[in-house]
Amino acid sequence: TIALTAPTVAVCGQATVPAPPPAADATVLPEFQVSTTKLIDDYIAAEAISGTRTGAKILELPYDVEVLTKEFIDDFRLYEQDDMLKFTANFTPRDPDSGTGGGNRLRGFEPLQMRDGLSRASPADLTNIAQVEVIKGPQSTLYGQTEPGGIVNYITKKPKEAPGYRLTLASGSYDLQRAEIEATGPLLGKKLFYLFTAGYRANKTDLEHYYSRRKIYTATFAYKLSANTSVTGYWEQSRTTSNRGTGAVGELVGSRQSGTNPLIRTGGVVRSVYLPLIRFNQMGPNDHYIRDYDGANVRVEHRFNQVWSARANYELVWKEFHQDRWSAGLNYVPETGRLTSRTPFLQNQYERSRSMQLDLLGRFTAGGIRQQLLFAGDYL
């Protein structure tokens, strides 16, 4: 940005141009200076919503809140939920091969995942995330559930009053392909505003047969009933399909056959990863993983006067999960030159949920000190 605006500043008379030397073989560019009284850092957020459910300024919060702004997420191309949280202190990404459930950890505990203050059921995606807020410690009780590690609150984008359109295309190694479309603006004067987003992502890895594809569509409408009352409706649909695969085949040494099946072994010691099979996919080519998500949200906000304001938030979620694969945990047996046995695995999961959140917030001054009083209720 500085490089683009500097010539404009020079034209406006902010530059000092010294006289060129009398004899110079090389071209000498004129010197210029840029000065400003305003420092802007789009990577640093001024306010947080998750900290106190009040949109408080971060400097006024009595506990640790980290915020990843939209500018930071965009510039570093943090496509996935895990990518966003890697920039958070005390965060440990999930390890599917750890044998401990493979969940993310914040300060050693699995954090509470939320979107706009409500329990979320869909992985975060760069397409419609405006800000990521991480509050650490047991203050997550503000949302009706206690997690010692803290909470992660994903703030979705909101419609804009001015028309805007955006198309983003990305390509990279391992067949990475990504596309994003965004359109926003007014639909009915200064009363009704909209935001449409759509995204597609596909990639592979060096693990054989692995692939991952995701489609996501969102629509948001905001209607201003009056200067003090607004209604916002949000809808999202996403589908993720993949062959997730599992690698890291170990080497089983000193085992013996158990029963009549030579693939079933007992005893022995499992050494580290068997390098000749480092790219081997334990699930094989026929692993199918499908995750569907549909969600709808309605939020009403009203300000009664200069002191009191209220918010009601209601959300419906439909979620389906299907997986058809082989069991993992294979090891290579040098005595037989083969892998240990495996069994078919099938899982179907259906989830329906609804959430409600009611807030009544008061802001006032008592004894010369600014005060906030919050009455909150959550239902899931």
Side-chain angles (χ1 to χ4, degrees):
T1 303
I2 294 177
L4 293 175
T5 57
T8 304
V9 175
V11 173
C12 294
Q14 298 293 328
T16 301
V17 182
D25 295 333
T27 300
V28 178
L29 297 178
E31 177 186 355
F32 65 89
Q33 299 175 351
V34 178
S35 60
T36 178
T37 59
K38 185 177 181 180
L39 178 62
I40 301 177
D41 192 341
D42 291 334
Y43 288 174
I44 300 178
E47 294 187 355
I49 296 175
S50 66
T52 58
R53 297 173 70 157
T54 61
K57 294 184 181 300
I58 295 178
L59 291 177
E60 298 176 356
L61 297 178
Y63 35 78
D64 185 13
V65 176
E66 291 189 35
V67 177
L68 301 181
T69 64
K70 178 60 178 175
E71 292 76 14
F72 183 88
I73 294 172
D74 278 341
D75 290 349
F76 284 86
R77 310 310 298 165
L78 306 181
Y79 296 126
E80 305 295 339
Q81 173 178 300
D82 292 354
D83 295 335
M84 301 177 190
L85 297 180
K86 285 178 182 177
F87 288 86
T88 301
N90 306 121
F91 172 77
T92 304
R94 57 185 171 183
D95 180 8
D97 300 322
S98 64
T100 59
N104 295 322
R105 294 291 185 268
L106 182 64
R107 300 178 63 187
F109 298 90
E110 188 169 354
L112 182 64
Q113 305 280 336
M114 314 199 82
R115 178 176 55 206
D116 295 330
L118 291 172
S119 298
R120 53 178 293 109
S122 176
D125 190 278
L126 176 62
T127 304
N128 195 40
I129 294 299
Q131 185 165 292
V132 181
E133 304 173 353
V134 181
I135 175 172
K136 301 175 183 178
Q139 286 82 7
S140 58
T141 53
L142 286 168
Y143 290 96
Q145 303 179 56
T146 302
E147 291 293 342
I151 62 176
V152 180
N153 193 20
Y154 298 91
I155 308 302
T156 55
K157 296 178 181 178
K158 303 298 186 293
K160 305 293 185 182
E161 294 186 356
Y165 310 93
R166 178 178 179 181
L167 171 64
T168 304
L169 301 174
S171 180
S173 56
Y174 296 113
D175 293 335
L176 171 65
Q177 303 293 331
R178 186 174 182 89
E180 298 175 35
I181 299 176
E182 178 181 314
T184 187
L187 281 178
L188 183 61
K190 296 183 179 181
K191 287 287 188 178
L192 181 62
F193 306 89
Y194 79 96
L195 169 66
F196 291 140
T197 68
Y200 172 79
R201 182 265 299 154
N203 69 286
K204 298 180 179 179
T205 68
D206 56 356
L207 187 67
E208 62 180 359
H209 310 307
Y210 175 90
Y211 71 90
S212 179
R213 292 188 290 266
R214 189 179 192 216
K215 300 177 182 179
I216 180 172
Y217 309 94
T218 71
T220 307
F221 296 92
Y223 185 72
K224 292 184 177 181
L225 294 174
S226 67
N228 295 321
T229 307
S230 66
V231 179
T232 303
Y234 174 83
W235 168 83
E236 175 182 338
Q237 182 183 71
S238 68
R239 162 167 278 209
T240 302
T241 59
S242 70
N243 176 325
R244 297 189 299 173
T246 301
V249 175
E251 183 178 11
L252 180 60
V253 179
S255 65
R256 63 183 183 276
Q257 182 174 325
S258 176
T260 58
N261 188 341
L263 300 182
I264 299 180
R265 314 292 295 183
T266 184
V269 177
V270 179
R271 294 178 177 174
S272 58
V273 177
Y274 184 60
L275 293 180
L277 293 179
I278 190 65
R279 296 180 60 248
F280 177 76
N281 187 340
Q282 297 189 31
M283 303 302 179
N286 297 316
D287 172 43
H288 301 289
Y289 169 90
I290 302 174
R291 183 184 293 273
D292 290 327
Y293 171 86
D294 292 270
N297 176 275
V298 177
R299 181 171 60 254
V300 179
E301 296 172 287
H302 177 71
R303 177 174 294 279
F304 298 100
N305 48 48
Q306 293 183 348
V307 176
W308 294 103
S309 60
R311 182 182 66 159
N313 210 358
Y314 183 76
E315 184 176 66
L316 291 174
V317 171
W318 301 266
K319 177 181 175 182
E320 296 185 10
F321 172 83
H322 308 280
Q323 189 172 23
D324 186 1
R325 63 174 175 83
W326 294 92
S327 60
L330 298 182
N331 293 306
Y332 174 75
V333 183
E335 289 86 352
T336 63
R338 304 177 70 178
L339 297 172
T340 53
S341 66
R342 60 180 182 177
T343 56
F345 180 89
L346 176 64
Q347 180 180 1
N348 294 308
Q349 178 179 330
Y350 304 89
E351 180 180 331
R352 304 290 184 269
S353 66
R354 62 182 182 272
S355 307
M356 179 176 291
Q357 187 180 80
L358 298 173
D359 291 351
L360 178 63
L361 174 65
R363 299 175 186 266
F364 53 92
T365 301
I369 301 176
R370 290 181 298 174
Q371 308 284 347
Q372 293 186 111
L373 180 61
L374 174 68
F375 298 92
D378 294 84
Y379 172 80
L380 172 61

